[in-house]
Amino acid sequence: MPAYFSLQGSVRKAPHSPSRDTTRQRIKFSDDRVCKSHLLNCCPHDVLSGTRMDLGECLKVHDLALRADYEIASKEQDFFFELDAMDHLQSFISDCDRRTEVAKKRLAETQEEISAEVAAKAERVHELNEEIGKLLAKVEQLGAEGNVEESQKVMDEVEKARAKKREAEEVYRNSMPASSFQQQKLRVCEVCSAYLGLHDNDRRLADHFGGKLHLGFIEIREKLEELKRVVAEKQEKRNQERLKRREEREREEREKLRRSRSHSKNPKRSRSREHRRHRSRSMSRERKRRTRSKSREKRHRHRSRSSSRSRSRSHQRSRHSSRDRSRERSKRRSSKERFRDQDLASRDRDRSSRDRSPRERDGKAKKRSYESANGRAEDRRSSEEREAGEI
C-alpha cells in the first residue's frame, strides 16, 4: 500500500495537490466545511480507509495542517468540537448496528433452527474462537515490536483457549446429529458486522480479529465512548457554571433588595437622602428663578427705556401744543379787549351825540361807524399778520 494512503480523507488522492494548498490557505479549522472528527483523529473515513468497508472520501475538508492548528489553539481555548465528532460517530455506529441486526435476521431465516440449549453451546464455541483470534493478533503485534517474552506468555494463553475450544466443540457435537454438525454455522461479529464461521481455523480468526477492519471499528467505538464521557463532563461543567452565575445574580438581587429595605427602614439615611433631593431641587428652582428675574429685568429695562423715550416725545409735543394754545388765548383776549374798548368808546360818543344836533349826530355816527369798520379791518389784518409770523 502506498504511503500516502495513510493520510487523511481527500489527501489520499494527491498528497501535494494545489487544491489542498489553496483550501488550507482559504479556510481555518473552525470553518463549518472542516471535518471536526478529522481534527480529533476519529473520522471513520480515515480509520476504515483501505479496508473491505472503505467509505471513500469524506464530504468535508481533511487536512493535517488544520489538525495541527486546532491542537495548538485548543490548549488556550475550548472549541467544544467533541459534540460534533460525537454526533458523527454516533450516526456511523448506529448504521453499523442496524446492518448487524439485518444480517442476524437473514442468518436466522436461512439456517436451520436449533434449540436454545444447542444455540448456547454454539455461542460458547464462538466466544472461544473470538478469544483465540484476539490473542493471536496480540502475539503478532508483540512479535512485530520485538517483545518476545510477552508474545510467549500470550501464546501460552492461546493454548489454554484452544483446549477449552476443543472441549466446547465436543459438547456441541454430542448435542446434535452429525449431519447438522457438519453444516457450516455462521455468526455475525458484534463489532464490525462481519460473518464468522463456527469451524474457522486459527489463522482465519487471527486475520479477522487482528485485521484493520475489526480494529478500526474497535477504535471508533472506543473513541465514541470517550467522546460521550468528555461531552458529558463538559456539559456538566457548563451547567454548573451557568447555575453558579444564576446564583450570583440572585444573590446580587437579594443584596440590592436588602439594601433598599434597610435604607427605607433607617430614617436618618432616608431623611438625609430626602434632604439632599430637596436641596438639589431648591437649588435648581433658585437657579431658574434667578434666570427668570434676570430676563424680567432685561425686559423691564428695555420697556422703561422705550417708555421714557415715548414720554419725552409726548412731553415735547405737549409743550409745543400748550405754547400754541397760550398764544391763541392771548390773541383772543387782546382782540376781545379791543372790541370792548371800542364798544365803550362808541357808547360815550353816543351819549355825547345825544346832546348835539341831529345833523351832527348823524355825521358823527357815520364817521364813527366808518372808523370802527376800518379799525376792525385793521385789527383783523394785524392779527392775521401776527399769526402768520408766529407760524
Side-chain angles (χ1 to χ4, degrees):
M1 183 184 299
Y4 61 81
F5 275 104
S6 62
L7 297 177
Q8 313 298 330
S10 60
V11 182
R12 285 181 289 163
K13 276 192 172 181
H16 300 291
S17 60
S19 60
R20 176 195 172 195
D21 296 335
T22 55
T23 302
R24 184 175 61 186
Q25 294 174 1
R26 187 171 61 253
I27 64 176
K28 295 182 180 180
F29 65 86
S30 58
D31 197 289
D32 293 336
R33 293 173 290 177
V34 178
C35 180
K36 304 304 183 292
S37 302
H38 168 70
L39 297 178
L40 295 170
N41 195 20
C42 61
C43 182
H45 295 266
D46 298 337
V47 177
L48 301 178
S49 63
T51 63
R52 181 173 57 85
M53 293 184 63
D54 192 343
L55 302 175
E57 296 181 0
C58 184
L59 298 177
K60 294 190 175 182
V61 177
H62 284 206
D63 195 342
L64 293 175
L66 296 178
R67 182 190 294 176
D69 295 340
Y70 165 72
E71 290 175 355
I72 295 172
S74 61
K75 295 179 181 178
E76 299 178 356
Q77 182 181 354
D78 186 9
F79 296 94
F80 205 56
F81 289 162
E82 290 83 1
L83 183 61
D84 297 334
M86 185 188 72
D87 293 338
H88 185 197
L89 296 187
Q90 184 66 52
S91 176
F92 175 76
I93 293 298
S94 298
D95 293 339
C96 182
D97 293 341
R98 190 164 45 252
R99 288 195 300 269
T100 302
E101 294 298 327
V102 171
K104 286 180 179 180
K105 290 180 181 180
R106 189 178 300 166
L107 286 176
E109 293 174 356
T110 56
Q111 291 185 353
E112 182 181 354
E113 294 184 1
I114 56 178
S115 62
E117 183 181 357
V118 176
K121 294 176 181 180
E123 185 68 24
R124 177 57 181 169
V125 176
H126 281 296
E127 290 176 358
L128 291 171
N129 282 336
E130 183 175 352
E131 183 180 355
I132 292 170
K134 291 179 179 179
L135 291 173
L136 291 174
K138 189 176 181 181
V139 168
E140 292 180 358
Q141 183 180 359
L142 292 172
E145 294 175 357
N147 196 344
V148 180
E149 293 180 359
E150 289 293 330
S151 64
Q152 188 63 38
K153 292 179 181 179
V154 175
M155 281 301 299
D156 295 338
E157 295 179 3
V158 170
E159 293 298 330
K160 293 178 182 179
R162 284 174 179 173
K164 292 179 181 179
K165 178 185 175 183
R166 286 192 293 268
E167 293 177 0
E169 286 178 346
E170 187 67 25
V171 172
Y172 173 66
R173 185 184 296 109
N174 295 330
S175 64
M176 60 186 308
S179 60
S180 300
F181 179 77
Q182 294 298 329
Q183 187 180 1
Q184 180 71 17
K185 297 294 181 180
L186 297 178
R187 179 175 177 248
V188 180
C189 181
E190 298 291 341
V191 178
C192 60
S193 69
Y195 290 104
L196 296 174
L198 184 64
H199 306 296
D200 287 342
N201 56 20
D202 296 344
R203 184 71 262 170
R204 170 74 173 83
L205 296 173
D207 291 340
H208 172 77
F209 291 105
K212 188 176 181 181
L213 178 63
H214 188 82
L215 295 177
F217 271 95
I218 292 175
E219 181 182 353
I220 292 171
R221 291 180 183 275
E222 290 177 353
K223 190 66 177 179
L224 177 60
E225 295 299 324
E226 181 183 355
L227 290 175
K228 287 181 179 179
R229 180 181 56 79
V230 172
V231 169
E233 290 177 356
K234 290 187 176 182
Q235 287 180 347
E236 182 66 22
K237 184 177 179 181
R238 289 191 175 187
N239 292 333
Q240 291 178 358
E241 291 177 355
R242 192 180 297 111
L243 182 61
K244 187 177 180 181
R245 289 195 297 269
R246 185 183 302 173
E247 291 177 354
E248 289 178 356
R249 287 197 299 269
E250 292 177 355
R251 192 183 301 108
E252 290 176 358
E253 291 176 358
R254 288 195 299 269
E255 186 68 21
K256 288 180 181 178
L257 183 61
R258 187 182 63 79
R259 289 177 182 175
S260 61
R261 289 179 178 176
S262 64
H263 287 317
S264 61
K265 290 180 181 179
N266 193 347
K268 293 183 179 180
R269 292 183 180 178
S270 60
R271 287 174 185 174
S272 62
R273 183 178 295 176
E274 290 294 330
H275 180 68
R276 288 195 298 271
R277 290 179 182 175
H278 180 70
R279 187 176 180 182
S280 62
R281 289 175 184 173
S282 61
M283 291 176 69
S284 61
R285 289 175 183 173
E286 187 66 25
R287 291 195 194 98
K288 289 181 181 179
R289 287 176 184 173
R290 289 176 182 176
T291 53
R292 288 176 184 174
S293 62
K294 288 180 181 179
S295 61
R296 286 176 183 174
E297 288 177 358
K298 289 181 181 179
R299 288 198 297 271
H300 182 68
R301 289 174 185 174
H302 181 69
R303 288 177 183 175
S304 62
R305 289 175 184 174
S306 60
S307 61
S308 62
R309 289 175 184 173
S310 60
R311 285 175 185 174
S312 62
R313 291 174 184 174
S314 62
H315 184 65
Q316 290 177 359
R317 291 175 184 174
S318 63
R319 282 194 298 174
H320 286 297
S321 59
S322 61
R323 287 176 185 177
D324 295 337
R325 284 195 296 271
S326 62
R327 287 174 184 174
E328 282 290 332
R329 289 173 184 173
S330 62
K331 287 178 183 179
R332 290 176 184 175
R333 288 175 183 174
S334 60
S335 60
K336 286 181 179 180
E337 289 175 355
R338 288 175 186 174
F339 285 128
R340 194 179 298 163
D341 295 338
Q342 289 176 2
D343 290 334
L344 291 173
S346 62
R347 288 176 184 176
D348 294 335
R349 288 171 187 168
D350 289 336
R351 289 174 184 173
S352 62
S353 63
R354 287 176 185 173
D355 297 334
R356 294 176 184 178
S357 61
R359 291 181 180 179
E360 290 178 356
R361 284 198 302 268
D362 294 333
K364 288 181 181 180
K366 290 178 181 178
K367 187 176 180 180
R368 283 196 299 271
S369 63
Y370 178 79
E371 289 177 355
S372 63
N374 290 333
R376 290 177 182 174
E378 288 176 359
D379 292 335
R380 289 176 182 173
R381 290 194 194 100
S382 63
S383 63
E384 290 177 356
E385 288 176 356
R386 290 174 184 173
E387 291 177 359
E390 291 177 357
I391 293 169

